[in-house]
Amino acid sequence: MTHPAIEVPTLIAHRGYSAAAPENTLTAVRAAHQAGARWVELDVQLLGDGMPVIWHDSDVSRCSDGRGELASMTWRQAQALDVGSWFGDRFAGERMANLEAMLALLNELEMGVNLEIKVNKGRDPITLVDAVLPMLLAALPAERCIVSSFDGAALAHSRRHAPREALALGALYGSLPKQWRAQCAAIEAFSIHPHWPRLKRTQAAAMRRDGYQILCYTANDPSAFQSRWAWGINSAITDEPAAFQRYLDNRKEG
């Protein structure tokens, strides 16, 4: 069996175009699209009432005008939050996006998504995957979606939802563990998502030999990252897709 026919882009906009708009919002995804990005990376987790939302942190204090843990919040309470003003006055009134609205926007824009199953401390990966995967698989074609996570249980359960030809899985790593090969083989991974400054050239070569796509996070200095392309990196996940693209275009012209 093969993986979905995914054409991984050179650049993936991290949490949408998060250098230009509030992260993980509908506005950030629209901004990424306007900047020419074909794929975005987004985080999904559950509110206390079971609603899947696009959000990174376990609480709302950093990216909203409120306080509180997602685990104790209802959708109605979450919708009362302003999740844009912290980033800039012109984003005042932005609301938290649920997964359904985000998937609808991705379809409208014909964009791909690297959706991270965000398992924050104390949260249940199985419940999260069971809420997210049926919606995702019903909404997006397999060639426009990668599901990634740092959480091994989330990835294993995701694979139980769909075979490799119907769902691409990506293993996220800070530092690459010795057992990465066994972990990736067990979930029939499509891609490996390493923290780019910690990735060694020999590790990248091994990943390539084993047939994995390599999506590095979070690369915001295109000149510092430049040498990594020769290692066979497929994609850089970046807060700055437009600036990164300008740098790559200038290198080609030069």
Side-chain angles (χ1 to χ4, degrees):
M1 295 292 184
T2 59
H3 290 288
I6 297 172
E7 295 181 16
V8 178
T10 303
L11 300 174
I12 295 175
H14 184 236
R15 304 180 195 170
Y17 193 166
S18 56
E23 66 179 59
N24 276 318
T25 62
L26 299 173
T27 297
V29 171
R30 291 190 187 98
H33 181 259
Q34 290 167 2
R38 296 190 292 114
W39 278 59
V40 290
E41 184 272 352
L42 300 168
D43 304 285
V44 66
Q45 52 183 312
L46 299 183
L47 294 175
D49 63 2
M51 173 69 76
V53 293
I54 307 301
W55 201 257
H56 178 273
D57 298 355
S58 63
D59 62 70
V60 299
S61 60
R62 182 174 64 87
C63 295
S64 84
D65 62 348
R67 291 189 171 277
E69 295 288 319
L70 256 66
S72 61
M73 196 167 287
T74 66
W75 175 237
R76 183 175 179 179
Q77 290 169 327
Q79 281 294 278
L81 299 172
D82 180 332
V83 303
S85 293
W86 69 273
F87 192 88
D89 290 344
R90 70 189 183 94
F91 299 103
E94 183 82 26
R95 300 301 165 193
M96 187 184 292
N98 62 21
L99 179 61
E100 182 180 14
M102 186 60 78
L103 292 173
L105 178 62
L106 292 169
N107 267 328
E108 176 189 328
L109 301 177
E110 297 184 340
M111 295 183 79
V113 64
N114 166 21
L115 188 66
E116 180 182 343
I117 303 294
K118 194 71 182 176
V119 185
N120 279 311
K121 187 176 180 179
R123 305 305 301 273
D124 178 22
I126 305 305
T127 302
L128 175 55
V129 169
D130 283 343
V132 169
L133 261 291
M135 292 177 65
L136 182 69
L137 293 169
L140 294 184
E143 64 271 17
R144 285 204 282 119
C145 180
I146 299 170
V147 168
S148 63
S149 189
F150 287 100
D151 190 281
L155 289 170
H157 195 57
S158 295
R159 177 53 72 220
R160 288 192 282 273
H161 269 269
R164 61 182 289 176
E165 66 270 20
L167 176 64
L169 294 182
L172 268 160
Y173 292 112
S175 294
L176 200 68
K178 290 181 180 179
Q179 64 272 29
W180 68 267
R181 272 196 166 102
Q183 291 174 354
C184 291
I187 61 166
E188 299 178 300
F190 167 77
S191 53
I192 299 175
H193 304 205
H195 183 41
W196 80 267
R198 299 183 190 176
L199 181 66
K200 297 179 175 63
R201 187 169 194 151
T202 52
Q203 293 171 335
M207 292 172 190
R208 295 292 293 177
R209 282 196 302 272
D210 287 1
Y212 296 111
Q213 300 285 302
I214 307 174
L215 284 62
C216 287
Y217 75 93
T218 303
N220 290 329
D221 184 339
S223 60
F225 191 81
Q226 182 59 35
S227 62
R228 302 307 197 272
W229 295 115
W231 298 7
I233 304 305
N234 298 96
S235 184
I237 300 171
T238 177
D239 298 328
E240 296 272 9
F244 223 114
Q245 189 62 59
R246 283 194 299 273
Y247 177 89
L248 294 176
D249 291 343
N250 289 338
R251 293 278 299 190
K252 289 177 185 175
E253 291 171 4

